[in-house]
Amino acid sequence: MVHVLSSRILLRPTDPERSRAFYGEQLGLAVYREFGTGAERGTVFFLGGGFLEVSGRSETPPAPAVRLWLQVHDVAAAQEELRAKGVEIVRPPVKEPWGLVEMWIADPDGTPIVLVEVPADHPIRYRPGI
């Protein structure tokens, strides 16, 4: 088995400054570290149990299959906070048939981001008898 010490998602945005502002200022992700210089310098943000690195530049947005899944304590509170910061809500919070509450937004390149609230009684958090 591979012993993973850390995990990181790497995004190459079409406009690095715009993406850094989105993830840092609008989403409010904390900066883990920065490296390099100039407009295409890299910024690594904390993602709870992993990291999001925004670095370099791409001529095209990421493939539509790329998605970010971010767990939050309260999706409704996140919706109000993000709306106040000018983030477009692609789909408002909905309790899904599988029991999670999900809200969809997108980054400046259109990368889908799902914000997920795991209810206290959901099997991901609570398993009776264990």
Side-chain angles (χ1 to χ4, degrees):
M1 180 173 112
V2 176
H3 183 75
V4 177
L5 299 176
S6 178
S7 62
R8 182 174 300 181
I9 297 165
L10 175 60
L11 288 181
R12 300 263 189 244
T14 58
D15 184 336
E17 288 294 335
R18 181 180 67 174
S19 290
R20 266 193 291 282
F22 174 80
Y23 286 105
E25 296 167 21
Q26 290 185 286
L27 281 190
L29 298 180
V31 173
Y32 169 66
R33 72 182 193 97
E34 294 182 288
F35 57 91
T37 58
E40 296 178 28
R41 71 187 182 281
T43 303
V44 181
F45 296 97
F46 281 106
L47 278 183
F51 300 95
L52 172 67
E53 179 178 322
V54 177
S55 63
R57 180 183 299 269
S58 175
E59 294 301 315
T60 59
V66 174
R67 300 173 191 279
L68 299 178
W69 192 93
L70 305 176
Q71 185 177 339
V72 297
H73 289 289
D74 184 337
V75 169
Q79 178 183 25
E80 294 309 313
E81 181 181 338
L82 293 173
R83 226 186 232 146
K85 293 180 178 181
V87 175
E88 179 187 353
I89 307 302
V90 175
R91 194 191 80 176
V94 172
K95 185 164 187 177
E96 300 291 356
W98 45 90
L100 300 176
V101 181
E102 297 184 2
M103 176 180 76
W104 289 82
I105 62 175
D107 81 357
D109 280 329
T111 302
I113 301 169
V114 60
L115 298 177
V116 178
E117 178 182 332
V118 181
D121 62 347
H122 193 278
I124 290 176
R125 290 183 53 187
Y126 174 72
R127 294 175 57 192
I130 294 181

